Amino acid sequence: DGGITQSPKYLFRKEGQNVTLSCEQNLNHDAMYWYRQDPGQGLRLIYYSQIVNDFQKGDIAEGYSVSREKKESFPLTVTSAQKNPTAFYLCASSITGAGNGYTFGSGTRLTVV
Amino acid sequence: SQQGEEDPQALSIQEGENATMNCSYKTSINNLQWYRQNSGRGLVHLILIRSNEREKHSGRLRVTLDTSKKSSSLLITASRAADTASYFCATDGIQGAQKLVFGQGTRLTINP
């Protein structure tokens, strides 16, 4: 079955640590996205990529970094510069171009301990 | 930038009743999409309506779009307990790459 997989499901980070969230898709989608969701809130865009080796900042990119070395993979690193990283992180993918819905992963819940 | 605003923030109805959720947005769009999220899970795409469409149906879902008022509504008919979830509208703007901007969501509870 085609889909998008996020791992791990739960992640705990100590203060000052960098952590990397994995996102893999086998849908042959060109575009991939990372969103952050805080409790009771909507989704805010962190980074997006429309093609391999290219990515763009979203609305809240500070303290985060990404790479897009393979079409299937779009990992997100939450750096120590992100002062409030506790949140639910969602990865999505889509066919490039207007008029296409997103397919979402099941999310990673990151908690700072 | 939070484009969509949804109303109400929370809605509780009895099973079998219809549920209506509204979404307003600020800028011109290519299309508007509705998603569903069960607690602690990812979002699931429900329906997409293009800017030149006024109404669309999918099973028990009916979506309307009024571009002059920059608003959309999602109607779920004959609700079921399994429809309990959060529902989000998302807009795809006309400028630049496709990147959806999501509203805050409506939390829908269906009481058996």
Side-chain angles (χ1 to χ4, degrees):
Chain A
D1 280 340
I4 183 165
T5 302
Q6 289 187 244
S7 62
K9 190 173 176 66
Y10 299 97
L11 186 57
F12 297 90
R13 190 193 96 166
K14 292 183 181 178
E15 299 264 358
Q17 268 187 341
N18 292 353
V19 291
T20 297
L21 284 60
S22 170
C23 179
E24 304 275 336
Q25 55 99 358
N26 61 3
L27 299 165
N28 201 33
H29 287 170
D30 285 309
M32 297 186 74
Y33 312 84
W34 274 106
Y35 286 88
R36 169 181 171 140
Q37 185 178 31
D38 291 284
Q41 301 294 312
L43 280 64
R44 292 183 290 167
L45 183 64
I46 305 173
Y47 268 99
Y48 64 103
S49 168
Q50 291 197 292
I51 197 168
V52 175
N53 293 321
D54 187 51
F55 49 83
Q56 306 295 328
K57 292 182 180 180
D59 299 317
I60 55 165
E62 186 174 350
Y64 300 97
S65 66
V66 293
S67 63
R68 186 85 188 277
E69 297 175 2
K70 298 187 301 182
K71 187 176 186 177
E72 300 79 15
S73 178
F74 192 40
L76 173 74
T77 296
V78 184
T79 75
S80 57
Q82 172 48 241
K83 298 307 178 190
N84 185 22
T86 294
F88 190 49
Y89 290 87
L90 287 157
C91 179
S93 69
S94 74
I95 298 169
T96 304
N100 298 294
Y102 287 8
T103 301
F104 278 85
S106 56
T108 292
R109 188 166 300 281
L110 174 63
T111 304
V112 174
V113 295
Chain B
S1 55
Q2 212 78 30
Q3 157 100 296
E5 292 198 4
E6 290 168 72
D7 170 54
Q9 290 189 334
L11 179 62
S12 181
I13 61 173
Q14 294 301 120
E15 195 167 18
E17 293 180 340
N18 295 343
T20 299
M21 289 159 272
N22 302 296
C23 170
S24 60
Y25 58 92
K26 296 174 184 171
T27 62
S28 297
I29 60 171
N30 273 319
N31 62 74
L32 185 144
Q33 305 179 25
W34 285 90
Y35 288 80
R36 164 196 169 123
Q37 183 182 36
N38 287 86
S39 183
R41 307 294 297 274
L43 278 70
V44 175
H45 181 257
L46 295 176
I47 196 165
L48 180 153
I49 186 165
R50 301 180 196 281
S51 59
N52 61 353
E53 297 175 312
R54 292 295 165 259
E55 188 171 311
K56 203 161 183 180
H57 297 254
S58 176
R60 293 184 297 113
L61 305 181
R62 173 179 168 250
V63 169
T64 62
L65 178 65
D66 186 335
T67 53
S68 67
K69 295 181 179 178
K70 290 187 169 59
S71 68
S72 174
S73 67
L74 172 67
L75 169 68
I76 303 175
T77 60
S79 63
R80 306 167 182 170
D83 294 328
T84 294
S86 292
Y87 292 81
F88 294 89
C89 69
T91 52
D92 179 12
I94 60 173
Q95 293 189 345
Q98 170 175 281
K99 42 175 180 157
L100 294 180
V101 179
F102 286 81
Q104 304 267 20
T106 293
R107 174 70 190 166
L108 175 65
T109 302
I110 309 298
N111 302 303

